[in-house]
Amino acid sequence: MNPIIIHTPEAEAHVYTHGAHVTHFQPVGQKRVLFLSSKSWFAFDKPIRGGVPICFPWFGPKPNEPHHGLARIREWTVENSTPDSILLCLYLQPWEARLTVKVSAALSLSFEVINIGTKPEQFEESLHTYLEVGDIRQVSVEGLENTDYLDNTMGLFRKHQGPEPLTFHGETDRVYLDTEATCIVNDPVWQRRLIVEKTGSKDTVVWNPWAAKAKAMPDFGDDEWPHMLCIEAANCKRHAITLPPGGKHTMSTTIRIA
Ligand code: BG6
């Protein structure tokens, strides 16, 4: 399995047709922006661990089906490419899914879903972005203050984030609700701020497995968890999207170093 490499004067990105998966983004003269596990499978029946997996057409578990949907374990077709962009497509009845990747000083992903069926249909989605950070225990995230969230480490119990920035002290697995806010990831170890913007998304999922869960994952290094943080543009659970026949929905995210 080999990536398609997009090399522009401003940055380099790697994209696999397996899952339409962006695994690497690095602006010139900077450290890489996306985390990719050294233990990731690169196998046709498994998702890649790191980068930006696309969770679609469902998010999370579904009985007798793969976690987070089928899109990340399918081969996508390259429909168009330019020196700084690529468009990948996947037909997954009743859906046509289209991911446009644009590479400049920022990485821009636009995920479009069209109902090509004959009746209204519902889906969930997430651009499951793994950011690389120096040490999660020193990171803070601005943008999710004063927002309710479902805590997936406590059976999706509904909680409230106060006025303080988000910091990390253990396993974190949350769906922040009704937020379209930009998130700013302050990383004092790497002395940088990552900016994660989004459109067309009502949920922001934040995830770090911490030590024990990381150990239990075969495709994740035991010591890698301090170096990643997922901030995901999503529409899931009660924000699942229903489209009429011919209906279209676009969710996008842009990631850059401040
Ligand atoms: C996150 C979920 O989005 O993805 C977590 O909130 C989940 O609950 C994580 O553990 C990783 O999922 P997977 O299928 O890639 O191991």
Side-chain angles (χ1 to χ4, degrees):
M1 217 184 259
N2 288 312
I4 297 161
I5 296 175
I6 303 176
H7 195 95
T8 76
E10 292 144 321
E12 183 170 312
H14 298 176
V15 186
Y16 284 78
T17 52
H18 181 65
H21 202 128
V22 178
T23 54
H24 177 70
F25 173 64
Q26 187 164 21
V28 169
Q30 306 278 356
K31 289 193 173 76
R32 63 185 190 173
V33 171
L34 300 178
F35 166 87
L36 176 65
S37 174
S38 62
K39 296 282 191 293
S40 176
W41 317 113
F42 284 90
F44 288 105
D45 60 342
K46 297 203 167 68
I48 296 168
R49 175 71 67 195
V52 189
I54 296 177
C55 305
F56 172 80
W58 61 87
F59 181 84
K62 185 172 176 178
N64 305 317
E65 297 280 5
H67 197 240
H68 283 338
L70 297 168
R72 59 184 190 160
I73 50 168
R74 289 288 166 90
E75 284 305 299
W76 292 52
T77 307
V78 176
E79 201 140 284
N80 193 24
S81 68
T82 69
D84 64 356
S85 73
I86 189 164
L87 166 64
L88 299 114
C89 295
L90 177 71
Y91 290 94
L92 206 58
Q93 277 300 333
W95 307 112
E96 178 183 347
R98 300 162 70 83
L99 180 78
T100 304
V101 180
K102 275 197 143 208
V103 179
S104 63
L107 174 70
S108 300
L109 304 180
S110 176
F111 182 57
E112 184 178 70
V113 176
I114 304 161
N115 180 355
I116 54 173
T118 53
K119 56 182 175 60
E121 302 277 359
Q122 196 176 65
F123 68 93
E124 297 174 289
E125 59 182 349
S126 158
L127 293 167
H128 194 306
T129 307
Y130 285 73
L131 302 170
E132 180 133 310
V133 295
D135 185 342
I136 186 72
R137 292 160 291 199
Q138 296 186 51
V139 161
S140 66
V141 176
E142 294 165 47
L144 298 169
E145 300 83 2
N146 305 309
T147 305
D148 280 5
Y149 63 91
L150 305 178
D151 190 337
N152 207 13
T153 68
M154 295 183 68
L156 296 175
F157 189 74
R158 190 170 178 132
K159 294 186 178 172
H160 184 73
Q161 175 85 28
E164 67 289 341
L166 172 59
T167 52
F168 300 87
H169 310 282
E171 183 191 354
T172 305
D173 189 354
R174 301 177 179 180
V175 182
Y176 282 85
L177 302 167
D178 298 298
T179 172
E180 299 188 28
T182 295
C183 287
I184 300 173
V185 178
N186 297 299
D187 183 341
V189 173
W190 279 12
Q191 298 185 338
R192 70 178 185 183
R193 282 149 65 87
L194 297 177
I195 306 207
V196 184
E197 292 170 285
K198 61 173 191 163
T199 66
S201 153
K202 290 195 171 148
D203 300 307
T204 297
V205 179
V206 178
W207 181 61
N208 180 290
W210 226 254
K213 250 209 174 131
K215 252 200 171 123
M217 290 192 285
D219 60 338
F220 194 99
D222 291 357
D223 302 324
E224 289 180 327
W225 62 270
H227 308 300
M228 55 74 65
L229 168 62
C230 287
I231 297 198
E232 314 168 29
N235 288 302
C236 54
K237 312 200 187 292
R238 72 185 174 90
H239 290 135
I241 289 175
T242 303
L243 288 180
K248 200 187 277 190
H249 179 269
T250 305
M251 175 173 79
S252 72
T253 188
T254 300
I255 302 142
R256 63 192 160 88
I257 301 173

